[in-house]
Amino acid sequence: MATTADALAHLRARAPQARPQVAVLLGSGWGGLTAHLLDALRLPYAELPGFPQASVAGHAGELWLGRIGAIEVAVLSGRQHGYETGAVDGMAVPLRTLHALGCKVLVQTNAAGSLNADMGPGSLMLVADHINMVQRSPLVGATGADRFVGMADAYDRSLRLAARQVATRLGVKLFEGVYLWCLGPQFETPAEIRAFRALGADAVGMSTVPETILARHSGMRVLALSLITNLAAGMSGEQLSHARTLAQAQLASDKASRLLAAIVSSLSLAGDGNTAP
Ligand code: HPA
C-alpha cells in the first residue's frame, strides 16, 4: 500500500520548488477557490500514490499547488468520504504528505445542512467545534502515545478570530456553530435532527471530522467552514437530495470562495499560533 513517503517523494520530484504553508481541503460548493490561485500546478489524485480516487459527483480529485496572495498553498479538491468505502482514513496520506511538505494549517470546507432556522441555505458557518456522532476515528491502528490527541482546541481560536475579522471586512455574514458528523450516505431522519439539536449541533454533514482528527494528530492547526445548502430533514417541506445540495452550493459558491481566498491570504503564519509542533 502506498505510504506518505511515496507520495512525498513523488511530489518533491514533480514540484521541487513547492513549499506550501497552508493546506486547503475543498468540499461541495467551494471549488471556485481554484480560480483565485496564482502560479497553479494541478496534479490529479490518480497520479499521486496513496491519494483516493474520488467517486462522488462534484468532487474533482485534484491537488493544486500555487499561491493565494503571498501564501503558498496546497489545495485538495475532493476528499474520500466514510460512506464511499466504510474506511474513514481515506485522507490520511494526502494530509500527512502536505504536513510533511510544510503545511502548518489545514483550512477545510464542506457543505452542510442547518439545524438553525435562521441559518438558511446559502449561509456560511465557521465551525467552532464538532460532535463525532459516528464515533469512528481515522487513528484506529495508529501506535504511539500521540494517538491520544486532545480535541479541546480542535478548531483553532486565533484562526477563527482571523476568519471573523475577514468576513466583517468583506461584509459577509458568518455564523459560528457546532458541526455534527453523520456517516451517510443517506440523509438524516427528522427525529435524528431533533435529537442532534438537543445535543448541541448547529449543522450536520458527512465529512470534515475525520480530517480534523488527522490534522490535529499531525500537529496542524485547523479552521473549518460550512456552506449551508439546506435546512436539515424535517425543517422544511423540501425533499433532500445530492443534486439539490450541489445546486444550492453552486448558488453560494462565489461568495464562499471569495471569503475563503481572503481568509487564506490574510493568514499570518509568523510565530504560528498555539500548538506544537
Ligand atoms: N445532511 C447531511 N449532510 C449534508 C446535508 C444534510 O442535510 N446537506 C449537505 N450535506
Side-chain angles (χ1 to χ4, degrees):
M1 215 169 72
T3 63
T4 300
D6 299 327
L8 191 59
H10 186 94
L11 271 178
R12 287 214 165 114
R14 283 290 267 113
Q17 313 297 333
R19 298 282 181 279
Q21 305 152 280
V22 174
V24 184
L25 177 46
L26 299 179
S28 304
W30 295 87
L33 182 78
T34 54
H36 295 260
L37 279 175
L38 307 169
D39 304 329
L41 172 67
R42 182 165 60 100
L43 304 168
Y45 286 178
E47 73 170 63
L48 297 169
F51 278 53
Q53 304 313 305
S55 73
V56 187
H59 298 269
E62 295 165 336
L63 172 67
W64 297 67
L65 300 170
R67 278 184 302 110
I68 298 178
I71 303 287
E72 207 172 320
V73 296
V75 179
L76 294 160
S77 178
R79 57 154 72 78
Q80 184 172 301
H81 301 79
Y83 61 73
E84 292 174 64
T85 63
V88 299
D89 62 352
M91 296 308 287
V93 168
L95 291 172
R96 288 175 179 150
T97 301
L98 296 187
H99 176 252
L101 211 54
C103 292
K104 301 247 184 325
V105 169
L106 171 66
V107 180
Q108 47 168 335
T109 61
N110 59 48
S114 171
L115 281 72
N116 168 0
D118 295 332
M119 182 170 73
S123 300
L124 297 172
M125 188 189 92
L126 192 53
V127 177
D129 204 346
H130 76 221
I131 295 174
N132 181 348
M133 192 67 204
V134 179
Q135 280 300 298
R136 304 260 323 268
S137 171
L139 303 182
V140 168
T143 54
D146 69 352
R147 76 186 115 161
F148 302 106
V149 182
M151 294 296 288
D153 54 356
Y155 299 92
D156 188 270
R157 198 173 281 279
S158 60
L159 293 177
R160 279 189 283 138
L161 177 63
R164 282 196 297 268
Q165 285 170 344
V166 171
T168 302
R169 174 160 60 75
L170 296 186
V172 173
K173 169 125 181 101
L174 188 56
F175 290 85
E176 188 159 359
V178 172
Y179 175 95
L180 182 145
W181 175 37
C182 282
L183 186 63
Q186 76 287 348
F187 286 103
E188 301 71 35
T189 64
E192 286 169 337
I193 293 301
R194 287 193 298 275
F196 296 162
R197 191 180 295 113
L199 291 177
D202 298 290
V204 61
M206 304 177 193
S207 69
T208 304
V209 167
E211 291 76 39
T212 295
I213 296 169
L214 285 165
R216 297 300 300 140
H217 182 236
S218 291
M220 286 190 270
R221 297 155 66 207
V222 177
L223 179 74
L225 294 159
S226 295
L227 194 173
I228 300 299
T229 54
N230 55 280
L231 292 176
M235 292 176 64
S236 75
E238 89 180 21
Q239 201 46 253
L240 303 183
S241 71
H242 187 56
R244 246 176 215 275
T245 297
L246 292 183
Q248 190 56 50
Q250 209 46 47
L251 289 180
S253 156
D254 269 6
K255 174 177 75 166
S257 45
R258 241 182 345 104
L259 177 67
L260 180 59
I263 289 172
V264 171
S265 66
S266 80
L267 290 178
S268 156
L269 300 167
D272 210 40
N274 55 2
T275 46

